Amino acid sequence: MNLVDKTTKEKALSNVNAYLSKVRNSCLGKESETAYISCANDILSNYFAYQPSALTSLSYAKQVSDCDLNSYLIYDAARMKNIDISVVYAPVHAFLAYKERGAYKYWDTVYSDQKGGLVDFSNQIYKKDFSPFYYRPQNEKTIIDTYKGFAFSKAKNQNIEDIISLSKDNPENVFLSTIKYTKLQDMSLLNKEDVTTIENSIQLNLTNTLLPLVLSEYYLANKEFDKARDYLLSMNKSDCGEPCFEIGSKLGLPIYKVHNNLYKLYSYFVEKQGHEPDEDAYMTSFAFLCVSIFFFFLYIITPAGVFAFMFIDKKIKNRRNKQ
């Protein structure tokens, strides 16, 4: 599964090694686990800027990272000091658990502009969910398998049996099962038994925004338009992204048609500026239809809309990191 070229891999490895070397030279003298992890995270903020990311090599090569990629870096840094550390997954988020004096402490790497901090579970980014996979320290095998699943989701020619096998080995792993069912639907291989399993699972996995989309797309393909519409509309619009806009557009829902066209324009201009589109920033900026129309005219009349989007995107990320 070659998702990036050799030059990108080498650049990523060089950046990661430089970061770990700096941690080794600057932080190993720290006595407590918390002080060491804080030191490592502070150094991380100088090496990797926050940006929603999927692939480690591509992101580390560009010196950008997000919650899960940050967690992998701090995980490796902590292992250099033999700290008992794990990654903890939450709905659309990841953070760390480590033991200090025999008790677990929890550390979020994206607090305070990538400098990190002890977890405050009252923060709204920690969404409540009944899935047994979330909010539990995971072992190294689960961490590796989860990343393999993320990488698989980006691969174009990967054997579907690989993700089925990963999901079977990790039956509680919400991310892997979601990737599996998404790929099965993309390949028109989703069957009624799968659909029943998904419909049962979303009763527990309340925050999963992809599985309702899988069901909506399945029912749309099978011309059961009412069910397709019901599953699409069951989602919070603030959690809606590009696939959601496309399905809603196919179902003839006016607001989704508007967002589908605007998001394509937004993505085009943001990518031309060398940035990755951020669906969360887009939806936060477009909470109401009147705002959508406003930016629509900005895009038609002037490039100011592009810069407005980028400005709001930066403000949103800064606010999120300071939470």
Side-chain angles (χ1 to χ4, degrees):
M1 183 165 49
N2 295 317
L3 299 177
V4 296
D5 57 41
K6 181 180 178 181
T7 301
T8 300
K9 289 181 181 178
E10 291 175 348
K11 180 64 174 175
L13 185 60
S14 174
N15 289 339
V16 170
N17 285 338
Y19 162 70
L20 293 175
S21 177
K22 181 68 174 178
V23 171
R24 185 180 295 109
N25 293 333
S26 304
C27 304
L28 283 178
K30 303 293 183 181
E31 293 186 5
S32 74
E33 287 83 352
T34 298
Y36 176 84
I37 289 173
S38 178
C39 177
N41 212 144
D42 187 63
I43 292 172
L44 184 150
S45 69
N46 295 321
Y47 277 80
F48 300 94
Y50 181 87
Q51 182 176 301
S53 310
L55 300 176
T56 55
S57 294
L58 184 60
S59 300
Y60 293 155
K62 295 166 60 179
Q63 290 190 265
V64 296
S65 187
D66 61 4
C67 60
D68 54 328
L69 301 194
N70 282 352
S71 295
Y72 302 152
L73 290 168
I74 301 295
Y75 180 92
D76 284 343
R79 296 294 291 270
M80 293 193 303
K81 195 175 172 64
N82 297 317
I83 294 175
D84 185 354
I85 191 166
S86 305
V87 175
V88 181
Y89 295 99
V92 297
H93 195 49
F95 54 98
L96 294 163
Y98 61 96
K99 284 190 175 180
E100 186 171 82
R101 297 179 180 177
Y104 271 118
K105 287 194 173 184
Y106 300 93
W107 185 270
D108 198 309
T109 63
V110 301
Y111 282 3
S112 304
D113 296 326
Q114 293 279 81
K115 294 182 183 298
L118 290 169
V119 168
D120 174 8
F121 283 110
S122 66
N123 193 305
Q124 62 182 355
I125 65 175
Y126 306 108
K127 299 179 180 179
K128 294 180 180 179
D129 195 287
F130 295 115
S131 170
F133 176 70
Y134 291 136
Y135 298 107
R136 292 195 315 188
Q138 301 294 342
N139 60 37
E140 187 168 359
K141 180 183 181 303
T142 301
I143 296 167
I144 292 172
D145 285 352
T146 300
Y147 177 72
K148 285 181 179 178
F150 287 145
F152 175 90
S153 70
K154 299 297 181 180
K156 295 181 180 179
N157 301 312
Q158 191 73 5
N159 190 333
I160 187 65
E161 294 300 325
D162 292 343
I163 188 61
I164 291 175
S165 177
L166 277 176
S167 182
K168 186 177 180 180
D169 290 343
N170 301 269
E172 292 185 345
N173 193 315
V174 175
F175 296 121
L176 294 179
S177 61
T178 299
I179 293 166
K180 177 185 72 173
Y181 289 128
T182 300
K183 284 292 185 180
L184 286 172
Q185 176 56 33
D186 289 345
M187 299 171 70
S188 301
L189 296 175
L190 203 67
N191 57 42
K192 289 186 177 181
E193 183 179 348
D194 294 327
V195 169
T196 300
T197 301
I198 296 171
E199 289 178 327
N200 290 333
S201 71
I202 60 177
Q203 302 304 313
L204 291 176
N205 189 197
L206 302 177
T207 58
N208 194 312
T209 59
L210 291 177
L211 289 181
L213 278 178
V214 169
L215 291 173
S216 183
E217 192 171 5
Y218 171 83
Y219 284 121
L220 176 62
N222 286 276
K223 302 187 185 305
E224 296 186 53
F225 302 117
D226 289 341
K227 286 186 176 181
R229 188 178 295 107
D230 288 344
Y231 276 111
L232 182 66
L233 296 179
S234 71
M235 295 173 54
N236 188 326
K237 282 190 176 64
S238 64
D239 295 326
C240 196
E242 184 177 13
C244 173
F245 304 149
E246 291 180 355
I247 293 172
S249 183
K250 291 177 182 177
L251 286 168
L253 301 175
I255 184 61
Y256 292 89
K257 287 185 174 181
V258 171
H259 280 300
N260 191 39
N261 291 326
L262 285 175
Y263 188 81
K264 289 177 180 177
L265 284 170
Y266 161 71
S267 299
Y268 171 76
F269 285 116
V270 169
E271 287 171 353
K272 282 195 70 174
Q273 296 295 322
H275 301 282
E276 293 184 15
D278 185 344
E279 293 174 350
D280 180 50
Y282 171 84
M283 284 309 300
T284 306
S285 305
F286 281 64
F288 302 99
L289 178 59
C290 62
V291 179
S292 302
I293 295 172
F294 171 71
F295 277 107
F296 175 73
F297 283 109
L298 277 179
Y299 275 126
I300 291 176
I301 299 170
T302 172
V306 179
F307 297 106
F309 252 131
M310 293 173 64
F311 175 78
I312 292 174
D313 174 81
K314 183 177 180 181
K315 290 292 185 182
I316 290 167
K317 288 176 181 174
N318 288 341
R319 185 172 68 245
R320 184 190 303 140
N321 292 339
K322 289 176 182 177
Q323 290 176 330

